[in-house]
Amino acid sequence: MSTPFAHVLQRVYETTGFAPRGSASQKSARCPAHDDGRASLSIGIGRDSRVILSCKAGCDNKAVIEALGIDWAALYPPELQGQSTQRRDPDEWIPCLDKGHRKTAEYRYTDEQGAVLYGVTRCDRKCFAQWRPDSTKRYGRRWGLRDAQGNKVRLVPYRLPEVVAAVRDERVVWICEGEKDVEALRARPLITATTSQGGAGMGWPEDFAQYFPGADVVIVADRDAQGREHATNIVNNLMPVARSITVVQAATGKDASDHFAAGGNTGNFVTAWEPKPFPGAAR
């Protein structure tokens, strides 16, 4: 009888036309969920014989499963296929699941080429958990930002490839406090937005200045003391390198999400501070 591992490998070959390569228990293959020329998909065998999938380019397991034309049960040996859907879906597991919490969002941080470095999950009780890809783990993730040797992952601005492109093309980059607000801004036409992992609570890393040479930046400060302090730290970091910096706040509510929920748009944020005006702007 074919094992789940062998079945998945066969489906990958049939779907992509390229045979997975590697050891008897760990293979690299072209991911069927995106145009993959780098063999981004890791396929391994977990401790209980289930198949562990991890796409280094950022595709979630649900997309990979759908592209392969199989269901979650196909990743499991027959004796485990009676488990609940919740337990069979690795993308839904979060550290606070046992408390009855439910995952509501996941944000992936990538390098300049789009390879996933780490991610952040959010639950319906506003718990945030960090993870990094690790194909040796049960769900293809190591929870936390350090590897087995204790080395911390490289931290980058959220949606880094978009930030790099915007700075290169001389388009404004919006910086806000938290991924939810970034996505609220990105839902608007032609907006590039970013944040730092953990927002004000984790701070703005000093080395992030390297990504903003000559950039025009709008910082959306949360309307509280912590938000003002966080915005000030970003300003101090980017002053030597950015071309222009403006700090704004929501016209209604605390943050960008509140602003848009109240009917606001990108043109009617309230300017709170302009520490580095755009060169040549009318005064």
Side-chain angles (χ1 to χ4, degrees), residues 174 184-185 188-189 191 259-260 264-269:
W174 294 67
L185 278 159
R188 306 283 157 159
I191 295 293
H259 178 83
F260 293 128
N265 57 52
T266 53
N268 63 1
F269 279 95

Side-chain angles (χ1 to χ4, degrees), residues 188-203:
R188 306 283 157 159
L190 306 177
I191 295 293
T192 298
T194 189
T195 189
S196 54
Q197 180 274 323
M202 298 292 290

Side-chain angles (χ1 to χ4, degrees), residues 109-144:
Y109 286 70
T110 75
D111 65 14
E112 291 85 347
Q113 287 71 48
V116 176
L117 298 172
Y118 56 97
V120 177
T121 63
R122 176 191 178 110
C123 82
D124 54 352
R125 310 289 181 85
K126 294 188 177 179
C127 298
F128 293 87
Q130 306 157 349
W131 57 269
R132 60 183 300 168
D134 186 338
S135 60
T136 68
K137 290 298 182 179
R138 182 176 182 182
Y139 294 118
R141 298 175 178 183
R142 175 180 292 275
W143 291 91

Side-chain angles (χ1 to χ4, degrees), residues 86-87 92-102 125 138-139:
Q86 185 182 58
R87 293 189 64 190
E92 294 304 314
W93 194 92
I94 51 178
C96 56
L97 185 67
D98 293 342
K99 299 178 181 179
H101 300 189
R102 180 176 59 85
R125 310 289 181 85
R138 182 176 182 182
Y139 294 118

Side-chain angles (χ1 to χ4, degrees), residues 25 57 77 99 104 181 184 200 205 258:
S25 61
K99 299 178 181 179
T104 57
D181 286 352
D258 291 343

Side-chain angles (χ1 to χ4, degrees), residues 110-114 154 156-171 173 192-194 208 210-213 215:
T110 75
D111 65 14
E112 291 85 347
Q113 287 71 48
R154 172 195 172 195
V156 295
Y158 184 48
R159 295 195 171 275
L160 178 58
E162 296 174 19
V163 172
V164 171
V167 173
R168 180 195 64 216
D169 298 340
E170 299 186 347
R171 292 182 281 111
V173 178
T192 298
T194 189
F208 277 19
Q210 67 182 296
Y211 303 112
F212 296 88

Side-chain angles (χ1 to χ4, degrees), residues 34-232:
H34 74 282
D35 186 10
D36 186 11
R38 302 173 61 186
S40 302
L41 183 64
S42 172
I43 310 169
I45 302 177
R47 288 174 295 178
D48 50 8
S49 299
R50 75 185 68 194
V51 178
I52 303 297
L53 302 174
S54 178
C55 177
K56 297 177 182 178
C59 299
D60 62 31
N61 284 343
K62 182 178 180 181
V64 176
I65 292 295
E66 291 177 349
L68 290 175
I70 59 179
D71 57 26
W72 289 106
L75 302 183
Y76 288 71
E79 63 270 19
L80 295 180
Q81 290 183 4
Q83 292 183 340
S84 68
T85 301
Q86 185 182 58
R87 293 189 64 190
R88 289 208 309 266
D89 184 345
D91 281 336
E92 294 304 314
W93 194 92
I94 51 178
C96 56
L97 185 67
D98 293 342
K99 299 178 181 179
H101 300 189
R102 180 176 59 85
K103 176 179 169 182
T104 57
E106 180 169 275
Y107 310 105
R108 298 186 175 209
Y109 286 70
T110 75
D111 65 14
E112 291 85 347
Q113 287 71 48
V116 176
L117 298 172
Y118 56 97
V120 177
T121 63
R122 176 191 178 110
C123 82
D124 54 352
R125 310 289 181 85
K126 294 188 177 179
C127 298
F128 293 87
Q130 306 157 349
W131 57 269
R132 60 183 300 168
D134 186 338
S135 60
T136 68
K137 290 298 182 179
R138 182 176 182 182
Y139 294 118
R141 298 175 178 183
R142 175 180 292 275
W143 291 91
L145 296 184
R146 296 185 184 276
D147 62 18
Q149 290 72 46
N151 301 308
K152 194 169 185 179
V153 70
R154 172 195 172 195
L155 298 180
V156 295
Y158 184 48
R159 295 195 171 275
L160 178 58
E162 296 174 19
V163 172
V164 171
V167 173
R168 180 195 64 216
D169 298 340
E170 299 186 347
R171 292 182 281 111
V172 173
V173 178
W174 294 67
I175 302 174
C176 45
E177 189 178 322
E179 298 91 353
K180 180 181 177 182
D181 286 352
V182 169
E183 297 306 324
L185 278 159
R186 291 183 66 254
R188 306 283 157 159
L190 306 177
I191 295 293
T192 298
T194 189
T195 189
S196 54
Q197 180 274 323
M202 298 292 290
W204 179 264
E206 290 186 5
D207 64 351
F208 277 19
Q210 67 182 296
Y211 303 112
F212 296 88
D216 296 309
V217 174
V218 175
I219 301 168
V220 184
D222 278 13
R223 195 178 287 279
D224 56 22
Q226 189 178 39
R228 290 191 296 273
E229 180 181 359
H230 186 55
T232 299

